PDB file of all heavy atoms in Angstrom:
ATOM      1  N   LEU A 845     -12.731 -13.647  -3.070  1.00  0.00           N
ATOM      2  CA  LEU A 845     -13.821 -12.797  -2.596  1.00  0.00           C
ATOM      3  C   LEU A 845     -14.683 -12.334  -3.770  1.00  0.00           C
ATOM      4  O   LEU A 845     -15.907 -12.452  -3.742  1.00  0.00           O
ATOM      5  CB  LEU A 845     -13.272 -11.586  -1.851  1.00  0.00           C
ATOM      6  CG  LEU A 845     -14.305 -10.505  -1.518  1.00  0.00           C
ATOM      7  CD1 LEU A 845     -15.272 -10.985  -0.441  1.00  0.00           C
ATOM      8  CD2 LEU A 845     -13.622  -9.218  -1.089  1.00  0.00           C
ATOM      9  N   TYR A 846     -14.033 -11.825  -4.825  1.00  0.00           N
ATOM     10  CA  TYR A 846     -14.811 -11.302  -5.947  1.00  0.00           C
ATOM     11  C   TYR A 846     -15.436 -12.416  -6.781  1.00  0.00           C
ATOM     12  O   TYR A 846     -16.527 -12.230  -7.334  1.00  0.00           O
ATOM     13  CB  TYR A 846     -13.980 -10.324  -6.777  1.00  0.00           C
ATOM     14  CG  TYR A 846     -13.956  -8.978  -6.102  1.00  0.00           C
ATOM     15  CD1 TYR A 846     -12.927  -8.626  -5.240  1.00  0.00           C
ATOM     16  CD2 TYR A 846     -15.015  -8.094  -6.252  1.00  0.00           C
ATOM     17  CE1 TYR A 846     -12.939  -7.408  -4.576  1.00  0.00           C
ATOM     18  CE2 TYR A 846     -15.040  -6.878  -5.595  1.00  0.00           C
ATOM     19  CZ  TYR A 846     -14.000  -6.539  -4.754  1.00  0.00           C
ATOM     20  OH  TYR A 846     -14.027  -5.335  -4.087  1.00  0.00           O
ATOM     21  N   ALA A 847     -14.813 -13.570  -6.839  1.00  0.00           N
ATOM     22  CA  ALA A 847     -15.465 -14.706  -7.493  1.00  0.00           C
ATOM     23  C   ALA A 847     -16.755 -15.047  -6.754  1.00  0.00           C
ATOM     24  O   ALA A 847     -17.797 -15.307  -7.373  1.00  0.00           O
ATOM     25  CB  ALA A 847     -14.526 -15.908  -7.527  1.00  0.00           C
ATOM     26  N   ASP A 848     -16.711 -14.993  -5.424  1.00  0.00           N
ATOM     27  CA  ASP A 848     -17.900 -15.251  -4.608  1.00  0.00           C
ATOM     28  C   ASP A 848     -18.957 -14.173  -4.820  1.00  0.00           C
ATOM     29  O   ASP A 848     -20.149 -14.462  -4.965  1.00  0.00           O
ATOM     30  CB  ASP A 848     -17.507 -15.335  -3.132  1.00  0.00           C
ATOM     31  CG  ASP A 848     -18.696 -15.672  -2.237  1.00  0.00           C
ATOM     32  OD1 ASP A 848     -19.477 -16.577  -2.588  1.00  0.00           O
ATOM     33  OD2 ASP A 848     -18.846 -15.015  -1.188  1.00  0.00           O
ATOM     34  N   VAL A 849     -18.525 -12.908  -4.858  1.00  0.00           N
ATOM     35  CA  VAL A 849     -19.470 -11.805  -5.071  1.00  0.00           C
ATOM     36  C   VAL A 849     -20.172 -11.974  -6.412  1.00  0.00           C
ATOM     37  O   VAL A 849     -21.403 -11.886  -6.498  1.00  0.00           O
ATOM     38  CB  VAL A 849     -18.746 -10.439  -5.001  1.00  0.00           C
ATOM     39  CG1 VAL A 849     -19.651  -9.312  -5.486  1.00  0.00           C
ATOM     40  CG2 VAL A 849     -18.266 -10.155  -3.586  1.00  0.00           C
ATOM     41  N   TRP A 850     -19.407 -12.256  -7.451  1.00  0.00           N
ATOM     42  CA  TRP A 850     -20.007 -12.372  -8.785  1.00  0.00           C
ATOM     43  C   TRP A 850     -20.959 -13.559  -8.894  1.00  0.00           C
ATOM     44  O   TRP A 850     -21.963 -13.489  -9.594  1.00  0.00           O
ATOM     45  CB  TRP A 850     -18.917 -12.483  -9.853  1.00  0.00           C
ATOM     46  CG  TRP A 850     -18.295 -11.168 -10.180  1.00  0.00           C
ATOM     47  CD1 TRP A 850     -17.021 -10.762  -9.897  1.00  0.00           C
ATOM     48  CD2 TRP A 850     -18.905 -10.067 -10.856  1.00  0.00           C
ATOM     49  NE1 TRP A 850     -16.817  -9.484 -10.340  1.00  0.00           N
ATOM     50  CE2 TRP A 850     -17.948  -9.031 -10.933  1.00  0.00           C
ATOM     51  CE3 TRP A 850     -20.175  -9.848 -11.391  1.00  0.00           C
ATOM     52  CZ2 TRP A 850     -18.229  -7.805 -11.533  1.00  0.00           C
ATOM     53  CZ3 TRP A 850     -20.451  -8.627 -11.995  1.00  0.00           C
ATOM     54  CH2 TRP A 850     -19.481  -7.620 -12.063  1.00  0.00           C
ATOM     55  N   THR A 851     -20.656 -14.641  -8.203  1.00  0.00           N
ATOM     56  CA  THR A 851     -21.503 -15.832  -8.346  1.00  0.00           C
ATOM     57  C   THR A 851     -22.647 -15.891  -7.345  1.00  0.00           C
ATOM     58  O   THR A 851     -23.641 -16.562  -7.606  1.00  0.00           O
ATOM     59  CB  THR A 851     -20.662 -17.121  -8.222  1.00  0.00           C
ATOM     60  OG1 THR A 851     -19.964 -17.114  -6.970  1.00  0.00           O
ATOM     61  CG2 THR A 851     -19.665 -17.230  -9.360  1.00  0.00           C
ATOM     62  N   SER A 852     -22.543 -15.196  -6.210  1.00  0.00           N
ATOM     63  CA  SER A 852     -23.580 -15.346  -5.189  1.00  0.00           C
ATOM     64  C   SER A 852     -24.421 -14.088  -4.951  1.00  0.00           C
ATOM     65  O   SER A 852     -25.514 -14.189  -4.396  1.00  0.00           O
ATOM     66  CB  SER A 852     -22.957 -15.799  -3.862  1.00  0.00           C
ATOM     67  OG  SER A 852     -22.110 -14.799  -3.335  1.00  0.00           O
ATOM     68  N   VAL A 853     -23.936 -12.915  -5.340  1.00  0.00           N
ATOM     69  CA  VAL A 853     -24.674 -11.677  -5.119  1.00  0.00           C
ATOM     70  C   VAL A 853     -25.228 -11.227  -6.469  1.00  0.00           C
ATOM     71  O   VAL A 853     -24.625 -10.434  -7.181  1.00  0.00           O
ATOM     72  CB  VAL A 853     -23.782 -10.587  -4.485  1.00  0.00           C
ATOM     73  CG1 VAL A 853     -24.601  -9.332  -4.186  1.00  0.00           C
ATOM     74  CG2 VAL A 853     -23.108 -11.097  -3.218  1.00  0.00           C
ATOM     75  N   ARG A 854     -26.358 -11.762  -6.838  1.00  0.00           N
ATOM     76  CA  ARG A 854     -26.918 -11.566  -8.178  1.00  0.00           C
ATOM     77  C   ARG A 854     -27.095 -10.094  -8.583  1.00  0.00           C
ATOM     78  O   ARG A 854     -26.830  -9.751  -9.726  1.00  0.00           O
ATOM     79  CB  ARG A 854     -28.246 -12.313  -8.319  1.00  0.00           C
ATOM     80  CG  ARG A 854     -28.098 -13.811  -8.227  1.00  0.00           C
ATOM     81  CD  ARG A 854     -27.366 -14.345  -9.435  1.00  0.00           C
ATOM     82  NE  ARG A 854     -27.163 -15.778  -9.297  1.00  0.00           N
ATOM     83  CZ  ARG A 854     -26.136 -16.414  -9.807  1.00  0.00           C
ATOM     84  NH1 ARG A 854     -25.224 -15.778 -10.479  1.00  0.00           N
ATOM     85  NH2 ARG A 854     -26.006 -17.710  -9.636  1.00  0.00           N
ATOM     86  N   TYR A 856     -25.259  -7.652  -8.051  1.00  0.00           N
ATOM     87  CA  TYR A 856     -23.975  -6.956  -8.170  1.00  0.00           C
ATOM     88  C   TYR A 856     -23.662  -6.529  -9.601  1.00  0.00           C
ATOM     89  O   TYR A 856     -23.169  -5.434  -9.838  1.00  0.00           O
ATOM     90  CB  TYR A 856     -22.849  -7.828  -7.614  1.00  0.00           C
ATOM     91  CG  TYR A 856     -21.523  -7.112  -7.534  1.00  0.00           C
ATOM     92  CD1 TYR A 856     -21.340  -6.040  -6.655  1.00  0.00           C
ATOM     93  CD2 TYR A 856     -20.458  -7.486  -8.335  1.00  0.00           C
ATOM     94  CE1 TYR A 856     -20.127  -5.380  -6.583  1.00  0.00           C
ATOM     95  CE2 TYR A 856     -19.238  -6.831  -8.265  1.00  0.00           C
ATOM     96  CZ  TYR A 856     -19.081  -5.776  -7.392  1.00  0.00           C
ATOM     97  OH  TYR A 856     -17.875  -5.117  -7.325  1.00  0.00           O
ATOM     98  N   GLY A 857     -23.937  -7.350 -10.567  1.00  0.00           N
ATOM     99  CA  GLY A 857     -23.567  -7.032 -11.938  1.00  0.00           C
ATOM    100  C   GLY A 857     -24.668  -6.440 -12.789  1.00  0.00           C
ATOM    101  O   GLY A 857     -24.498  -6.291 -14.002  1.00  0.00           O
ATOM    102  N   GLY A 885     -14.885  -6.587 -14.698  1.00  0.00           N
ATOM    103  CA  GLY A 885     -16.092  -7.108 -14.055  1.00  0.00           C
ATOM    104  C   GLY A 885     -16.902  -7.983 -14.974  1.00  0.00           C
ATOM    105  O   GLY A 885     -16.452  -9.035 -15.422  1.00  0.00           O
ATOM    106  N   SER A 886     -18.099  -7.543 -15.319  1.00  0.00           N
ATOM    107  CA  SER A 886     -18.997  -8.324 -16.165  1.00  0.00           C
ATOM    108  C   SER A 886     -18.583  -8.326 -17.618  1.00  0.00           C
ATOM    109  O   SER A 886     -19.028  -9.168 -18.402  1.00  0.00           O
ATOM    110  CB  SER A 886     -20.424  -7.773 -16.056  1.00  0.00           C
ATOM    111  OG  SER A 886     -20.490  -6.481 -16.637  1.00  0.00           O
ATOM    112  N   ASP A 904      -9.200  -8.748 -15.282  1.00  0.00           N
ATOM    113  CA  ASP A 904      -9.748  -8.617 -13.935  1.00  0.00           C
ATOM    114  C   ASP A 904      -9.093  -9.679 -13.073  1.00  0.00           C
ATOM    115  O   ASP A 904      -8.382 -10.562 -13.579  1.00  0.00           O
ATOM    116  CB  ASP A 904     -11.268  -8.782 -13.945  1.00  0.00           C
ATOM    117  CG  ASP A 904     -11.952  -8.001 -12.819  1.00  0.00           C
ATOM    118  OD1 ASP A 904     -11.377  -7.934 -11.707  1.00  0.00           O
ATOM    119  OD2 ASP A 904     -13.042  -7.469 -13.037  1.00  0.00           O
ATOM    120  N   THR A 906     -10.657 -12.023 -11.598  1.00  0.00           N
ATOM    121  CA  THR A 906     -11.354 -13.284 -11.817  1.00  0.00           C
ATOM    122  C   THR A 906     -12.259 -13.152 -13.039  1.00  0.00           C
ATOM    123  O   THR A 906     -12.821 -12.076 -13.277  1.00  0.00           O
ATOM    124  CB  THR A 906     -12.191 -13.691 -10.582  1.00  0.00           C
ATOM    125  OG1 THR A 906     -12.936 -14.876 -10.880  1.00  0.00           O
ATOM    126  CG2 THR A 906     -13.144 -12.589 -10.162  1.00  0.00           C
ATOM    127  N   GLU A 908     -15.063 -14.704 -13.238  1.00  0.00           N
ATOM    128  CA  GLU A 908     -16.372 -15.161 -12.773  1.00  0.00           C
ATOM    129  C   GLU A 908     -17.517 -14.210 -13.119  1.00  0.00           C
ATOM    130  O   GLU A 908     -18.648 -14.635 -13.266  1.00  0.00           O
ATOM    131  CB  GLU A 908     -16.357 -15.399 -11.258  1.00  0.00           C
ATOM    132  CG  GLU A 908     -15.500 -16.555 -10.819  1.00  0.00           C
ATOM    133  CD  GLU A 908     -15.961 -17.888 -11.367  1.00  0.00           C
ATOM    134  OE1 GLU A 908     -17.170 -18.107 -11.531  1.00  0.00           O
ATOM    135  OE2 GLU A 908     -15.086 -18.725 -11.640  1.00  0.00           O
ATOM    136  N   GLY A 909     -17.233 -12.921 -13.250  1.00  0.00           N
ATOM    137  CA  GLY A 909     -18.299 -11.970 -13.528  1.00  0.00           C
ATOM    138  C   GLY A 909     -18.663 -11.842 -14.997  1.00  0.00           C
ATOM    139  O   GLY A 909     -19.685 -11.254 -15.328  1.00  0.00           O
ATOM    140  N   LEU A 910     -17.834 -12.372 -15.897  1.00  0.00           N
ATOM    141  CA  LEU A 910     -18.041 -12.161 -17.325  1.00  0.00           C
ATOM    142  C   LEU A 910     -19.378 -12.720 -17.806  1.00  0.00           C
ATOM    143  O   LEU A 910     -19.738 -13.856 -17.495  1.00  0.00           O
ATOM    144  CB  LEU A 910     -16.920 -12.809 -18.140  1.00  0.00           C
ATOM    145  CG  LEU A 910     -15.538 -12.188 -18.016  1.00  0.00           C
ATOM    146  CD1 LEU A 910     -14.528 -13.009 -18.808  1.00  0.00           C
ATOM    147  CD2 LEU A 910     -15.549 -10.742 -18.488  1.00  0.00           C
TER     148      LEU A 910
END
Side-chain angles (χ1 to χ4, degrees):
L845 170 70
Y846 280 94
D848 183 45
V849 169
W850 282 111
T851 56
S852 66
V853 183
R854 295 291 177 211
Y856 188 66
S886 68
D904 209 323
T906 176
E908 292 298 326
L910 292 176

